[in-house]
């Protein structure tokens, strides 16, 4: 039970797929302009992660090593197509706003990464815990970035006004930059910095060090 | 039955290094996935289409409402929507036998009985087949035409683009163009959906004085009254929109219909 909880909670901060492994940030940047899109994307990714983990783990003993990536991608892509179709049928407006990014879950390294490194080697239950934990870790980052970007960029949360903007006679001047892609990089960078400052073990050793002689030159 | 089970068990018992197992597993996974994906897409299609259709109608209504003075005109005429009629494309006459409300242009374009194949040289919009009958939306006031809206479609860079083209009563000046459906590259071609770009069309002319259809999208700054600025990085999407209009305004599209309206109007 302890390991089960551990598998579920470790990917939240200690082994967060986005901030520690820097996986899946393409979509994390693209869909976080508002909290609503970030939440939908997070839910879609978590569902794909859990279901793909479930199916891959179920047949893991019969997946030949030589074709494992083909099998994994086939399963992941099918799930993504179905989820995308469901969104287009039952959340039409939202799927328009998410445009291609639900479809791009197929290429999200996070999903393939968990399938390859965990689901292929573990039984169903631990795989589900791991997949759900990673989904939550990804969701957490998306929610933080999405909240900040929507709040600072538009003064709203989930489309409801939180602070009165200048346009509506209030005091808050929305930061247009927050609605653009670079802002997501800034927030993500600050987030990684903050986590690694608090958890020193996550900080990576520098790849290169300048020698004293070179610095003087 | 037991023999088949035995076969299945033997297959699962093959070592994972066996090529037969690799082929078999890949094939089975692909088969199951294909079944799931295709049944999901068949089951969800009606629900998705309903959304697309509602969106299309909403955009048509929004386009008409955005035209200057059109709202007042419609209020005066006592209508809240345009009148829809079916046109036989080849002759340009109205088709009165069919109810426009029950007409499905997409299904009609697929059915060989209600569609014609386009030869490649007469098909700049890349449609391959079109229905012989097409809906038009009209607004008339005191028996005179106030607005004609034509549904058009064509292939862009990577998707089928559908749009509504609204023409002024002179049948040469564009009142508005609204893109209602497209799947072009987000951030590039998909920007044809932006109101700023669609606003460029208002006031453009589809033809020169002699009546030749010239309307097109250009990547250099638009100089002529029948040119519209394209979007940077979306040359082929822009060309697709231009070709689509050229086709639908031409002899295989609404050309005969517009000719007839012009004759009757003068």
């Amino acid at each position: 039970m302890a390991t089960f909880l551990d598998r579920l909670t470790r990917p939240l901060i200690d082994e967060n797929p986005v901030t520690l492994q820097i996986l899946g940030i393409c979509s994390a940047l693209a869909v976080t302009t508002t909290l609503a899109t970030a939440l939908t994307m997070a839910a879609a990714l978590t569902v794909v992660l859990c279901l793909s983990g479930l199916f891959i783990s179920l047949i893991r003993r019969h997946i030949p090593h030589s074709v494992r990536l083909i099998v994994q991608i086939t399963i992941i892509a099918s799930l993504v197509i179905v989820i995308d179709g469901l969104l287009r049928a039952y959340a039409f407006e939202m799927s328009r706003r998410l445009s291609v990014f639900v479809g791009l879950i197929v290429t999200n390294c996070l999903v393939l990464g968990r399938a390859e490194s965990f689901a292929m080697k573990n039984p169903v239950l631990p795989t589900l815990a791991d997949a759900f934990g990673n989904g939550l870790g990804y969701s957490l980052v998306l929610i933080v970035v999405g909240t900040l970007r929507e709040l600072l960029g538009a003064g709203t949360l989930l489309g409801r006004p939180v602070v009165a903007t200048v346009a509506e006679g209030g005091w808050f001047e929305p930061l247009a930059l927050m609605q653009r892609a670079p802002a997501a990089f800034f927030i993500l960078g600050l987030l990684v910095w903050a986590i690694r400052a608090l958890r020193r073990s996550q900080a990576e050793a520098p790849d290169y060090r300048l020698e004293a002689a070179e610095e003087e030159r | 039955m037991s023999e088949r089970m035995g076969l299945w068990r033997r297959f699962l018992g093959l070592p994972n290094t066996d090529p037969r197992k690799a082929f078999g597993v890949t094939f089975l996974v692909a088969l199951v996935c294909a079944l799931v994906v295709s049944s999901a897409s068949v089951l969800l299609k009606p629900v998705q289409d309903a959304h697309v259709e509602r969106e299309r109608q909403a955009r048509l209504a929004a386009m008409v409402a955005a035209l200057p003075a059109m709202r007042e005109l419609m209020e005066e005429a006592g209508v809240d929507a345009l009148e829809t009629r079916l046109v036989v494309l080849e002759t340009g006459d109205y088709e009165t036998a069919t109810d426009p409300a029950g007409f499905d242009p997409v299904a009609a374009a697929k059915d060989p009985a209600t569609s014609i194949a386009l030869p490649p040289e007469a098909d700049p919009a890349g449609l391959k087949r079109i229905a012989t009958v097409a809906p038009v939306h009209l607004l008339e006031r005191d028996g005179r035409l106030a607005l004609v809206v034509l549904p058009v479609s064509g292939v862009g860079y990577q998707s089928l683009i559908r749009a509504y083209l609204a023409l002024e009563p002179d049948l040469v000046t564009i009142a508005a163009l609204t893109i209602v459906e497209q799947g072009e590259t987000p951030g590039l071609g998909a920007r044809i959906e932006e109101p700023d770009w669609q606003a460029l069309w208002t006031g453009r002319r589809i033809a020169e004085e002699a009546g030749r259809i010239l309307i097109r999208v250009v990547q250099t700054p638009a100089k002529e009254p029948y040119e519209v600025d394209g979007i940077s990085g979306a040359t082929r999407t822009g060309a697709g929109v231009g070709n689509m209009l050229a086709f639908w305004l031409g002899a295989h599209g609404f050309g005969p219909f517009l000719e007839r309206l012009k004759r009757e109007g003068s």
Side-chain angles (χ1 to χ4, degrees):
Chain A
M1 196 61 209
T3 55
F4 183 82
L5 268 183
D6 197 41
R7 287 219 171 86
L8 204 62
T9 51
R10 261 226 307 265
L12 290 187
I13 292 179
D14 285 343
E15 282 175 17
N16 189 292
V18 185
T19 60
L20 178 67
Q21 303 168 32
I22 320 288
L23 289 181
I25 63 164
C26 162
S27 54
L29 301 176
V31 301
T32 49
T33 47
T34 62
L35 186 53
T37 47
L39 280 172
T40 315
M41 183 67 186
L45 186 113
T46 308
V47 171
V48 170
L49 204 54
C50 289
L51 289 179
S52 67
L54 169 71
F55 294 129
I56 290 168
S57 172
L58 270 178
I59 59 167
R60 69 185 185 283
R61 287 186 213 283
H62 298 291
I63 301 179
H65 190 72
S66 51
V67 293
R68 67 189 194 289
L69 288 179
I70 298 174
V71 171
Q72 289 164 11
I73 280 290
T74 310
I75 292 176
I76 296 169
S78 314
L79 287 167
V80 168
I81 296 171
V82 172
I83 301 269
D84 195 28
L86 281 172
L87 279 179
R88 267 190 290 138
Y90 297 105
F92 184 67
E93 269 311 303
M94 183 49 76
S95 79
R96 287 190 73 86
R97 283 164 66 194
L98 285 170
S99 71
V100 293
F101 292 104
V102 172
L104 283 180
I105 293 178
V106 181
T107 60
N108 196 318
C109 305
L110 175 49
V111 186
L112 191 61
R114 289 333 289 172
E116 175 75 359
S117 67
F118 204 94
M120 283 295 285
K121 299 176 189 132
N122 290 282
V124 172
L125 278 181
T127 301
L128 278 179
D130 175 77
F132 192 58
N134 274 283
L136 288 183
Y138 175 86
S139 309
L140 190 67
V141 174
L142 251 70
I143 289 168
V144 170
V145 180
T147 306
L148 284 172
R149 285 181 75 185
E150 186 174 351
L151 192 63
L152 298 177
T156 59
L157 270 185
L158 288 173
R160 285 194 207 93
V162 175
V163 284
T165 56
V166 171
E168 288 158 5
W171 55 272
F172 180 69
E173 179 76 58
L175 289 164
L177 173 68
M178 280 293 151
Q179 292 291 308
R180 313 226 164 260
F185 269 118
F186 298 153
I187 295 174
L188 210 55
L190 291 171
L191 210 59
V192 172
W193 180 31
I195 290 176
R196 292 187 183 186
L198 291 173
R199 312 254 164 144
R200 300 312 293 249
S201 61
Q202 289 196 12
E204 291 159 34
D207 286 340
Y208 302 102
R209 249 179 224 295
L210 288 180
E211 283 178 23
E214 270 192 309
E215 269 176 54
E216 277 165 24
R217 227 182 283 152
Chain B
M1 190 65 203
S2 69
E3 195 182 323
R4 209 176 291 164
M5 286 306 288
L7 204 63
W8 175 244
R9 217 164 273 146
R10 261 223 311 280
F11 170 67
L12 288 185
L14 284 175
N16 274 356
T17 45
D18 195 313
R20 280 174 296 172
K21 175 105 173 204
F23 274 110
V25 168
T26 321
F27 177 75
L28 284 177
V29 168
L31 186 71
V32 171
C33 288
L35 283 176
V36 170
V37 167
S38 41
S39 38
S41 110
V42 169
L43 287 177
L44 294 173
K45 188 101 174 86
V47 190
Q48 293 167 349
D49 283 351
H51 286 294
V52 172
E53 181 55 36
R54 210 171 310 144
E55 176 82 7
R56 192 180 302 159
Q57 279 166 7
R59 292 208 186 176
L60 176 61
M63 175 178 82
V64 173
L67 293 176
M70 205 46 69
R71 175 80 20 221
E72 291 82 23
L73 211 62
M74 284 169 76
E75 268 165 27
E76 272 174 44
V79 293
D80 55 359
L82 303 180
E83 184 194 355
T84 303
R85 285 192 206 162
L86 292 178
V87 170
V88 181
L89 291 177
E90 200 183 345
T91 58
D93 293 324
Y94 290 124
E95 150 86 308
T96 45
T98 325
D99 176 21
F103 181 73
D104 181 353
V106 179
K110 279 188 194 142
D111 187 350
T114 53
S115 64
I116 50 160
L118 293 168
E121 65 275 10
D123 187 21
L127 292 165
K128 295 197 176 76
R129 284 197 90 79
I130 57 164
T132 50
V133 178
V136 294
H137 310 280
L138 307 163
L139 183 63
E140 279 175 345
R141 195 174 161 236
D142 308 331
R144 290 183 68 86
L145 208 58
L147 187 75
V148 184
V149 179
L150 308 172
V152 294
S153 55
V155 175
Y157 172 55
Q158 58 182 29
S159 67
L160 185 69
I161 302 170
R162 290 181 198 278
Y164 283 116
L165 176 74
L167 291 178
E168 302 273 358
D170 67 2
L171 300 178
V172 174
T173 312
I174 294 175
L177 178 85
T178 296
I179 308 285
V180 291
E181 216 183 301
Q182 54 89 16
E184 298 294 286
T185 321
L188 296 171
R191 291 180 58 202
I192 56 173
E193 278 208 2
E194 288 180 3
D196 285 353
W197 189 70
Q198 293 178 17
L200 295 176
W201 290 83
T202 302
R204 299 280 123 186
R205 297 169 69 79
I206 60 170
E208 61 175 356
E209 300 305 326
R212 211 146 50 93
I213 301 295
L214 284 171
I215 186 75
R216 61 173 175 238
V217 176
V218 290
Q219 294 303 118
T220 51
K223 291 188 293 281
E224 307 292 336
Y226 44 78
E227 289 181 344
V228 175
D229 283 330
I231 295 165
S232 301
T235 309
R236 284 176 62 186
T237 301
V241 174
N243 289 340
M244 153 175 110
L245 294 183
F247 170 78
W248 281 103
L249 294 168
H252 290 272
F254 291 109
F257 170 66
L258 294 175
E259 281 303 314
R260 181 174 68 83
L261 285 189
K262 251 181 235 172
R263 270 201 315 275
E264 286 170 7
S266 58

